[in-house]
């Protein structure tokens, strides 16, 4: 299992900071797999990407995931807690380059959405995002041997394509159910490992930078030297610096 060290986490935070969601997830993956070309990581199907992120997160911060979500019925803040293993889908390897669906007389050839596709959807409403995603991922459509444009696809064919995408890349969707202790409403909360892991790294980095600042001012040590220490030893020096 891949574990990000303190210098690698700090590097990922710095690299991902100027970006939004998909770019940040990618920065974490690039830090974890420095021998793989970033372009290849960006082209991983979203579910395959998330499976890697789950395993890096488990290696780095442990298997337990604890977060807060808002109850959609009453607004109560509800704790969401589970193990990485609870949301891990069976891996599909290697992810297919292209898939085919034949439905209602239409033959559709498409590829699975990747990080670049997600980045292109930022700021779009759900309807436009779906159209953009189809436009990017559908490679070829025909009906009775004649080429058809993506915009002409009937809704049921679009749904069949979406189903096939989900089956071929199951980790792209995490199935969780939680219940609100205040109003008993139960719902499937959205969980995005990229966003979640990034927020954890950000919290970690801000706390750690503060520690580096204190130790560097007290002892004159470099950031590199301080980050190379075990967290346990860093805490002992921080106690002494405070005392
Ligand atoms: Zn509630």
């Amino acid at each position: 299992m891949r574990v990000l060290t303190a210098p690698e986490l700090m590097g990922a935070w710095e690299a991902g900071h100027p970006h939004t969601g998909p770019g940040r997830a990618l920065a974490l993956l690039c830090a974890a797999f420095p021998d793989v070309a970033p372009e290849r990581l960006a082209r991983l199907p979203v579910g395959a990407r998330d499976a890697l992120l789950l395993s890096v997160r488990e290696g780095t911060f442990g298997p337990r995931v604890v977060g807060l979500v808002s109850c959609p019925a009453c607004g109560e803040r509800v704790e969401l807690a589970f193990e990485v293993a609870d949301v891990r889908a069976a891996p599909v390897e290697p992810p297919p380059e292209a898939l085919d669906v034949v439905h209602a007389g239409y033959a559709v050839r498409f590829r699975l959405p990747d990080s670049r596709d997600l980045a292109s959807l930022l700021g779009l409403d759900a309807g436009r995002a779906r159209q953009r995603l189809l436009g990017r991922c559908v490679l070829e459509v025909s009906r009775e041997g004649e080429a058809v444009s993506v915009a002409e696809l009937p809704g049921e064919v679009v749904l069949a394509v979406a189903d096939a995408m989900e089956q071929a890349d199951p980790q792209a969707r995490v199935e969780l159910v939680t219940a609100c202790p205040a109003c008993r409403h139960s719902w499937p909360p959205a969980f995005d490992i990229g966003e979640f892991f990034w927020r954890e790294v950000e919290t970690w980095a801000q706390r750690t930078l503060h520690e580096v600042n204190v130790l560097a001012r007290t002892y004159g040590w470099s950031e590199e030297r301080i980050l190379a220490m075990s967290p346990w030893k860093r805490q002992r020096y921080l106690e002494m610096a405070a005392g």
Side-chain angles (χ1 to χ4, degrees):
M1 195 180 298
R2 187 69 178 88
V3 182
L4 285 171
T5 62
E8 287 169 337
L9 275 176
M10 201 56 96
W13 181 58
E14 207 176 348
H17 200 255
H19 297 281
T20 47
R24 291 172 168 182
L26 204 56
L28 292 171
L29 268 196
C30 287
F33 302 97
D35 299 336
V36 183
E39 176 58 20
R40 234 187 97 199
L41 293 171
R43 290 179 56 190
L44 281 176
V46 175
R49 176 200 74 178
D50 286 357
L52 288 179
L53 282 172
L54 274 176
S55 112
V56 177
R57 194 288 182 174
E58 184 175 16
T60 305
F61 292 138
R64 187 99 183 123
V65 175
V66 181
L68 282 174
V69 289
S70 292
C71 170
C74 76
E76 176 87 1
R77 297 289 275 165
V78 179
E79 189 186 84
L80 186 65
F82 56 91
E83 301 281 317
V84 167
D86 297 339
V87 296
R88 189 173 274 139
V92 177
E93 287 188 83
E97 287 277 320
L99 295 112
D100 295 287
V101 157
V102 177
H103 189 89
Y106 290 83
V108 186
R109 167 157 279 232
F110 58 94
R111 62 174 178 79
L112 295 170
D114 59 29
S115 298
R116 300 166 308 171
D117 299 316
L118 292 193
S120 81
L121 308 182
L122 293 169
L124 298 183
D125 62 48
R128 294 175 77 136
R130 196 177 311 121
Q131 276 309 318
R132 167 85 58 93
L133 196 63
L134 274 181
R136 290 176 64 96
C137 295
V138 170
L139 307 170
E140 225 181 299
V141 189
S142 63
R143 190 179 184 205
E144 289 161 11
E146 298 281 315
V148 178
S149 84
V150 174
E152 293 172 66
L153 280 177
E156 60 172 310
V157 180
V158 171
L159 279 181
V161 169
D163 275 355
M165 281 179 171
E166 208 176 300
Q167 274 177 32
D169 196 26
Q171 193 67 68
R173 201 171 121 179
V174 167
E175 303 272 1
L176 283 169
V177 176
T178 196
C180 172
C183 75
R184 304 198 175 272
H185 175 65
S186 111
W187 78 102
F191 176 74
D192 179 336
I193 179 61
E195 290 284 329
F196 184 86
F197 191 15
W198 176 262
R199 281 202 305 272
E200 286 184 318
V201 170
E202 197 157 51
T203 304
W204 173 91
Q206 274 156 359
R207 193 187 64 231
T208 305
L209 267 193
H210 173 75
E211 295 175 1
V212 168
N213 179 48
V214 171
L215 294 181
R217 286 167 76 127
T218 309
Y219 300 105
W221 296 332
S222 68
E223 181 194 87
E224 193 184 359
R225 180 169 174 191
I226 297 166
L227 290 184
M229 273 177 210
S230 69
W232 180 84
K233 197 167 170 190
R234 209 184 302 139
Q235 290 312 312
R236 299 294 80 76
Y237 277 119
L238 282 167
E239 284 163 17
M240 286 187 269

